Amino acid sequence: MNDTPLLSAVDLHKTFRVSGKSYSTQSLTALDLVSLHLSAGETLGVAGESGCGKSTLAKVMAGLLTPDGGSVFYKGIQLSQLGYNDRTVFRRKTQMIFQDPFSSLNPRMRVGDSISEPFKIAGMSAPLQRAELTRIMAAVGLQSDAVNRFPDEFSGGQRQRIGIARALAASPDILIADEPVSSLDISIQAQIINILLQMKLDFALSMMIVSHNLLVLRHICDRIIIMYLGSVIECGPASELFHRCRHPYTEALIAAIPGVHPSSVSKDVLLRDDLPSALSIPSGCRFHPRCRHAVDLCRHEVPQLVEYSTGHTAACHLSQQLYG
Ligand SMILES: Nc1ncnc2c1ncn2[C@@H]1O[C@H](COP(=O)(O)OP(=O)(O)OP(=O)(O)O)[C@@H](O)[C@H]1O
Ligand code: SF4
Ligand SMILES: [Mg+2]
């Protein structure tokens, strides 16, 4: 059996230069030593507060952003080592779906032509292109007459279906979706989630899904990564993470989900204060200024990710004491 993950990353680091006072620039750390893997057929969720680095991670994994440190591997080969042809294969096999699908569609191109672009690049015959287009449109629940219309004639939910169809047309083996449902109404969110789940089965896809919504991730993911200020602080099987998380930050995120723990949650568990700036990441455990359990050690020593049960890791000095 081949154990090499389809997509993986080791020690990713990404900084951005941002404007500071008096025309100076400062370095903002968006990713700090992030490692992860996505196995064939797996769905991996990425969660965390706004600004914690989820989109940056998604773009680096999709090869749309280059990290300053660390490496991404596709089928065990470092992206930076891929030759031109293999790089083209990687780009086609790793497709991204964005929160706003409109931004990735050409407004002057008919939807059918937009979706069919990868067929043309692959040199498919016209009849085969039509057959594939019909198959993919049906799979994402778009009416056949949609092919002749333009993107601005569709609702947000329909546009997201078009975005998914366009990604599927490239015959990918990995889909990376960044907040694919967060701009949609609740009822439409459920439809798009169901389409993604069905796609995973019908097209044998591996998926990495970024979302603020932990409930959505629990529903569709095998494993979930929790990020905090550019760093992975916990990772584990989706159901285990919910029933037995091992980090106070994860505990706070879960406790904040409306209706999940209605009466049993003490207010102390919930997050206090805002996320600190990524321009000045706290020393030691980066969560310590907001952690009700913080001790002196937390302020000085960075906790490493420790595996507590199979595939369940957390970076907290007190995880064993707090969660057993
Ligand atoms: N192009 C950029 N230039 C400068 N800073 C950036 C850039 N892109 C992201 N950042 C910063 O990097 C950090 C991580 O941003 P990112 O967009 O990855 O977060 P996120 O978790 O996706 O947030 P959200 O949930 O709001 O989408 C933030 O502090 C953000 O301001
Ligand atoms: S290492 Fe300390 S500050 Fe960080 S989460 Fe654990 S207890 Fe809280
Ligand atoms: Mg984002």
Side-chain angles (χ1 to χ4, degrees), residues 49-52 227-229 249 272-278 290:
E49 283 168 289
S50 182
C52 67
M227 291 187 72
Y228 187 75
L229 277 178
Y249 179 60
R272 57 187 193 203
D273 308 326
D274 291 335
L275 187 74
S277 166
R290 300 168 86 191

Side-chain angles (χ1 to χ4, degrees), residues 188-205:
I188 310 292
Q189 286 190 11
Q191 291 173 14
I192 299 296
I193 288 163
N194 285 337
I195 288 174
L196 285 172
L197 281 171
Q198 197 57 44
M199 295 305 92
K200 180 183 159 172
L201 298 175
D202 293 353
F203 293 79
L205 293 170

